[in-house]
Amino acid sequence: MLPECQLLGTLGCHLCEYAEAVLMPFVENGLLVELVDIADRPGLLERYALVIPVLRRTDTGAELHWPFDAPQVAAFLG
């Protein structure tokens, strides 16, 4: 079973759009990803403003920072 994740990003972030595209095959195979807009949460904005997009596992809190590709995501989720 795949862990639930959050994709930390913000509207208008082209790298975040690329990250979403990398994640789509995983989503189509059952991965649940919550899109979290860091602009809506001051603490997240301060922490992640310069490093988004970030894929974060909700079960462990582990983070995968951009750039990442499908094999890296698969290893991160495994």
Side-chain angles (χ1 to χ4, degrees):
M1 183 169 177
L2 295 171
E4 292 184 23
C5 293
Q6 296 175 317
L7 181 61
L8 307 173
T10 194
L11 291 175
C13 167
H14 70 284
L15 295 177
C16 299
E17 293 171 5
Y18 294 147
E20 287 182 43
V22 170
L23 294 174
M24 282 310 295
F26 295 94
V27 171
E28 291 168 356
N29 286 296
L31 178 66
L32 297 176
V33 178
E34 175 189 6
L35 301 177
V36 177
D37 191 334
I38 64 168
D40 295 337
R41 302 181 189 180
L44 293 181
L45 181 60
E46 184 176 313
R47 181 172 177 188
Y48 293 103
L50 299 177
V51 297
I52 58 171
V54 174
L55 183 62
R56 181 169 61 187
R57 289 179 58 144
T58 58
D59 60 346
T60 65
E63 296 179 348
L64 182 62
H65 290 250
W66 186 260
F68 50 78
D69 57 19
Q72 291 170 310
V73 171
F76 177 72
L77 298 175

